[in-house]
Amino acid sequence: DVQLVESGGGSVQAGGSLRLSCLLSGFTYDMYCMGWFRQAPGKEHEGVAIIESVGATTYADTVKGRFTIARDWTRDIVYLRMGSLKPEDSAKYYCAADRFACLKEPGSRWDQNEYHYWGQGTQVTVS
């Protein structure tokens, strides 16, 4: 099985930066598709960033140019570096993994149902 543990959340002022980490453990060798999602109270689950095994990345329009997703294969960690944070970025951020999600059509890659493994989330609050 695969376990995901997020860390790095916290409170920050608008315009500030945070780096979230997602540590993978278990049978991770074929977790080819990794994503960060977020959910704010009263709002729908939202895809933020995706990284494929070859390193290709995709971002939601709302974070493009401000957030960067990266994967360290040697340490089994996926990062989400967030800059120029806005109050509307406040949410609980979740790391997700799947073997096949990135093989889906581009629109389907944002579907949370395509991801088999999830972490517990880390809270980000921007004021």
Side-chain angles (χ1 to χ4, degrees):
D1 208 353
V2 175
Q3 295 81 43
L4 308 176
V5 178
E6 302 96 334
S7 62
S11 297
V12 64
Q13 291 189 337
S17 301
L18 281 174
R19 188 182 73 168
L20 306 183
S21 299
C22 173
L23 177 64
L24 291 78
S25 61
F27 291 101
T28 64
Y29 70 96
D30 59 351
M31 290 296 107
Y32 301 126
C33 191
M34 300 294 303
W36 284 96
F37 293 76
R38 66 186 181 186
Q39 187 166 27
K43 294 188 177 181
E44 292 186 357
H45 215 250
E46 177 188 17
V48 176
I50 296 168
I51 186 165
E52 303 176 32
S53 60
V54 295
T57 56
T58 309
Y59 297 93
D61 289 341
T62 52
V63 306
K64 202 172 292 183
R66 300 188 297 121
F67 290 12
T68 302
I69 187 171
R71 182 170 186 171
D72 185 335
W73 283 88
T74 61
R75 298 184 178 182
D76 260 346
I77 300 176
V78 177
Y79 299 102
L80 183 68
R81 185 178 299 275
M82 306 184 295
S84 301
L85 283 163
K86 305 175 182 179
E88 51 263 44
D89 293 319
S90 296
K92 195 164 189 179
Y93 283 71
Y94 298 88
C95 178
D98 194 80
R99 293 175 177 86
F100 306 118
C102 289
L103 300 179
K104 306 292 184 181
E105 294 180 355
S108 295
R109 298 175 193 176
W110 295 113
D111 184 349
Q112 59 179 317
N113 295 311
E114 296 292 344
Y115 291 81
H116 196 74
Y117 301 99
W118 290 85
Q120 294 300 307
T122 184
Q123 181 67 39
V124 171
T125 303
V126 185
S127 59

